[in-house]
């Protein structure tokens, strides 16, 4: 199988590290060679964060170049648009519709761009946009956006539901397990 590439993009403090760890665990459990890059960017709250997850028969590098990502999983709308040049033609964007103002918008130096889903679709991306924050809050915590996103992403993989559950159990601390299972299920059913 040729190497597949997934980018996880977001804003520091949103749980992208857990999402990439969980995805890596799931893919290794399915017998793939997996490389997960370190988080690039300002992982403290508010900065742009990017993680690469690559999997296939044999993966030599954890790095994804522009135009190579099969999918971008985004915790925030502007982040999805910002990293779009990494998506291959006809690639998929699974994104939370939440908008978090970056510093230039907060300081008044810029405006948050409008119609981002339409702009990404016009650029050739298949966009699956969902109010993951609303679903995470419904599950019990705004911090569970990452599991809602992974639940949504699971539609695009042919892996058994038990494999996803096993990865959740392996990567999520026990006291947050039920909450995260609920968040995943809400994303899956949305």
């Amino acid at each position: 199988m040729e190497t597949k590439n997934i980018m996880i993009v977001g804003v520091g403090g949103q749980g992208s590290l857990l999402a990439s760890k969980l995805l890596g665990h799931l893919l290794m459990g399915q017998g793939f060679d997996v490389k997960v890059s370190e988080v690039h960017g300002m992982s403290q709250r508010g900065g742009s964060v990017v993680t690469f997850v690559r999997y296939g028969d044999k993966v030599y590098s954890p790095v994804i170049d522009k135009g190579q990502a099969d999918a971008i999983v985004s915790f925030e709308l502007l982040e999805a648009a910002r990293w779009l040049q990494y998506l291959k033609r006809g690639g998929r964007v699974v994104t939370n519709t939440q908008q978090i103002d970056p510093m230039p918008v907060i300081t008044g130096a810029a405006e948050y761009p409008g119609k981002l889903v339409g702009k990404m679709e016009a650029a050739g991306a298949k966009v699956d946009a969902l109010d993951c924050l609303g679903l995470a809050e419904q599950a019990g915590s705004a911090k569970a956006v990452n599991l809602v996103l992974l639940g949504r992403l699971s539609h695009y993989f042919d892996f058994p539901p038990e494999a996803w559950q096993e990865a959740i159990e392996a990567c999520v601390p026990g006291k947050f397990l039920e909450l995260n299972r609920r968040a995943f299920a809400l994303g899956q059913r949305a």
Side-chain angles (χ1 to χ4, degrees):
M1 178 200 146
E2 72 174 76
T3 301
K4 296 280 185 197
N5 304 301
I6 301 170
M7 284 181 73
I8 299 175
V9 302
V11 174
Q14 288 189 303
S16 54
L17 201 55
L18 175 62
S20 56
K21 181 179 163 188
L22 204 150
L23 201 51
H25 186 94
L26 168 85
L27 294 164
M28 283 195 311
Q30 296 302 301
F32 294 107
D33 183 26
V34 180
K35 298 279 185 290
V36 178
S37 77
E38 294 302 307
V39 172
H40 301 289
M42 297 167 44
S43 55
Q44 73 265 26
R45 217 162 263 297
S48 185
V49 175
V50 185
T51 314
F52 301 139
V53 178
R54 304 188 72 216
Y55 67 99
D57 292 334
K58 187 75 188 120
V59 180
Y60 295 98
S61 163
V63 179
I64 298 172
D65 291 322
K66 288 180 180 173
Q68 284 191 333
D70 295 281
I72 293 176
V73 177
S74 180
F75 285 71
E76 197 271 346
L77 218 43
L78 185 56
E79 289 300 316
R82 181 177 292 167
W83 294 97
L84 198 63
Q85 74 266 25
Y86 280 82
L87 195 66
K88 62 172 53 159
R89 193 151 256 335
R92 177 159 315 276
V93 174
V94 176
T95 185
N96 181 9
T97 54
Q98 182 182 7
Q99 296 181 3
I100 299 172
D101 290 344
M103 202 44 81
V105 173
I106 292 169
T107 62
E111 271 184 45
Y112 196 99
K115 299 183 174 73
L116 286 172
V117 170
K119 288 174 183 169
M120 289 187 284
E121 287 172 340
K126 295 177 190 142
V127 182
D128 184 348
L130 185 68
D131 177 8
C132 298
L133 179 60
L135 291 170
E137 287 168 342
Q138 195 179 322
S141 170
K143 288 183 157 72
V145 165
N146 51 5
L147 271 292
V148 173
L149 273 168
L150 288 177
R152 192 67 201 151
L153 182 68
S154 72
H155 284 268
Y156 304 106
F157 286 94
D158 199 17
F159 300 146
E162 313 77 68
W164 289 93
Q165 292 307 319
E166 190 279 324
I168 292 169
E169 285 166 24
C171 299
V172 172
K175 65 181 176 180
F176 301 116
L177 206 49
E178 275 318 301
L179 163 74
N180 282 277
R181 277 197 186 116
R182 278 194 308 272
F184 182 86
L186 285 167
Q188 207 172 23
R189 287 195 301 262

